[in-house]
Amino acid sequence: MIIDCAVYRNGVRESTEHDTESLEAALAGLGKDDFLWIGIGNPQTFELERVAATLGLHPLAVEDALEAHQRPKVERYTDHLFMSLRTVRYSDDDITTHEVNIFMGANFLLTVRRGGPDLRNARKAAESRIEPMSHGPTAALHAVVDSIVDGYEDVAAELETDVEEVETSVFSNRPSSDSTRIYRLKRETLEFRRAVMPLRDPVERFATGSMPEDSRPYFRDIADHLARAADAIDTIDKLLDNALNAHLAQLSVQQNADMRKLTAGATIFAVPTAIAGIYGMNFEHMPELKWTLGYPLVIAVTAGICGYIYWRFKRSGWL
């Protein structure tokens, strides 16, 4: 349940045993500038409650961490901060999100992950930068949030590539089901938006005043990455709208062209139909009935009229 646990003294890692008693001992032995970083993956209710009791976490924050599908948010309690955010992955026109909940106190950081990629790379990257890690748990918080937000930009880049493919397909001459793919991409973009947009205001507050002065530049960098991801989402959404409108317009133009061809064909065949209908009537005294060249003359006149109509339609672009 506890994936990783370590004490950081002056930015240097000291591993700790992964049990409640060891956590209590580690907390009791922390110095002024030391902090404890605990990583938990897919915990059972009783497991998280046991760790929460050791760290003194607020029960409402623990309840939010236990309930899935939280909206990205930041809440402050008396002696700790609770943050909920989502990791995002994109593959085969499908957005997948998983929840990460973070508790930060004066001398600890607890990450609770539900599914999705683990946070080992974020921890290793943070541990390689000893000077920032000496700033305390805010450095660990920055490492986790920065890793997740960097993933947003990667997803945005992949979505933009797929949107370019859709645009190319829309303006090509080959038949395709572009409207289906555009709808799927718009739905996945909406899911992406739900993960990114609610996070902008909390991170902006981190960057401008609610974090220690030495940590704010790092959160300003995250805020900048979030802004780029949000701008990319807006651009993707607008491009998909434009692609859908262009696709529908092309379908309408194609249908009009098809209707014109059908109309032209019906007009051409109306002439022989009318002549055949007249000469199919059972009257004796009709022109050319007794004339030897009457039949080829009617055929020739019919073919001439049809040819003339075809030429006029071809000239006007209907055929």
Side-chain angles (χ1 to χ4, degrees):
M1 183 269 295
I2 296 181
I3 297 173
D4 200 356
C5 181
V7 171
Y8 294 84
R9 302 185 192 279
N10 296 319
V12 180
R13 175 191 175 103
E14 295 181 6
S15 295
T16 303
E17 294 298 326
H18 300 173
D19 58 75
T20 306
E21 292 74 16
S22 299
L23 292 182
E24 293 175 349
L27 285 170
L30 291 176
K32 180 181 178 182
D33 298 324
D34 305 337
F35 74 96
L36 180 66
W37 186 349
I38 309 163
I40 299 178
N42 304 311
Q44 300 289 331
T45 300
F46 73 91
E47 292 172 329
L48 182 57
E49 288 178 345
R50 189 161 53 195
V51 174
T54 302
L55 299 177
L57 304 179
H58 196 282
L60 290 178
V62 176
E63 181 181 346
D64 285 344
L66 289 171
E67 294 180 358
H69 309 299
Q70 290 293 322
R71 185 177 185 270
K73 63 180 180 177
V74 173
E75 293 182 353
R76 288 188 177 274
Y77 296 93
T78 304
D79 57 354
H80 63 275
L81 174 146
F82 172 73
M83 184 175 191
S84 181
L85 62 164
R86 289 183 170 273
T87 60
V88 180
R89 292 294 180 269
Y90 178 68
S91 177
D92 298 327
D93 293 350
D94 185 51
I95 290 281
T96 304
T97 64
H98 294 92
E99 195 169 308
V100 176
N101 296 297
I102 305 172
F103 298 85
M104 187 182 75
N107 58 358
F108 70 85
L109 186 89
L110 169 65
T111 59
V112 182
R113 177 177 57 83
R114 293 194 172 278
D118 60 43
L119 302 173
R120 288 191 179 93
N121 290 336
R123 187 187 285 256
K124 289 178 181 178
E127 290 171 352
S128 67
R129 300 188 295 268
I130 296 177
E131 194 279 328
M133 284 294 283
S134 65
H135 296 166
T138 55
L141 176 66
H142 166 267
V144 174
V145 178
D146 185 51
S147 174
I148 293 173
V149 171
D150 284 346
Y152 295 166
E153 290 194 283
D154 294 338
V155 170
E158 293 174 8
L159 273 170
E160 287 175 343
T161 300
D162 284 354
V163 170
E164 289 175 1
E165 291 178 2
V166 168
E167 288 179 319
T168 302
S169 178
V170 165
F171 292 104
S172 68
N173 294 324
R174 69 179 188 274
S176 61
S177 56
D178 292 318
S179 56
T180 301
R181 192 177 187 199
I182 291 171
Y183 173 77
R184 287 188 61 189
L185 288 173
K186 282 188 68 66
R187 183 184 62 187
E188 300 310 310
T189 302
L190 177 60
E191 185 70 18
F192 189 21
R193 182 187 294 275
R194 289 172 181 160
V196 174
M197 295 306 186
L199 205 57
R200 295 188 66 182
D201 288 342
V203 171
E204 189 66 31
R205 290 197 297 271
F206 288 169
T208 55
S210 62
M211 285 293 172
E213 184 67 33
D214 54 3
S215 300
R216 292 174 192 171
Y218 297 97
F219 286 100
R220 282 199 292 270
D221 179 65
I222 294 178
D224 181 57
H225 290 185
L226 266 177
R228 290 206 297 265
D231 290 342
I233 290 172
D234 289 337
T235 300
I236 290 167
D237 197 44
K238 291 177 181 177
L239 287 174
L240 287 172
D241 285 338
N242 293 339
L244 181 60
N245 291 335
H247 178 62
L248 295 177
Q250 284 192 320
L251 288 178
S252 178
V253 169
Q254 184 61 44
Q255 289 174 348
N256 289 338
D258 293 341
M259 288 300 297
R260 288 193 300 178
K261 290 178 181 179
L262 291 173
T263 302
T267 303
I268 292 173
F269 281 101
V271 173
T273 301
I275 294 174
I278 292 172
Y279 277 88
M281 289 186 280
N282 297 320
F283 293 106
E284 292 184 1
H285 304 289
M286 294 185 69
E288 286 79 40
L289 283 180
K290 304 296 183 179
W291 186 31
T292 304
L293 298 179
Y295 178 76
L297 176 63
V298 171
I299 296 297
V301 170
T302 301
I305 295 174
C306 290
Y308 175 74
I309 295 174
Y310 176 84
W311 174 74
R312 290 298 302 267
F313 277 125
K314 192 72 175 178
R315 186 178 180 184
S316 64
W318 280 50
L319 287 174

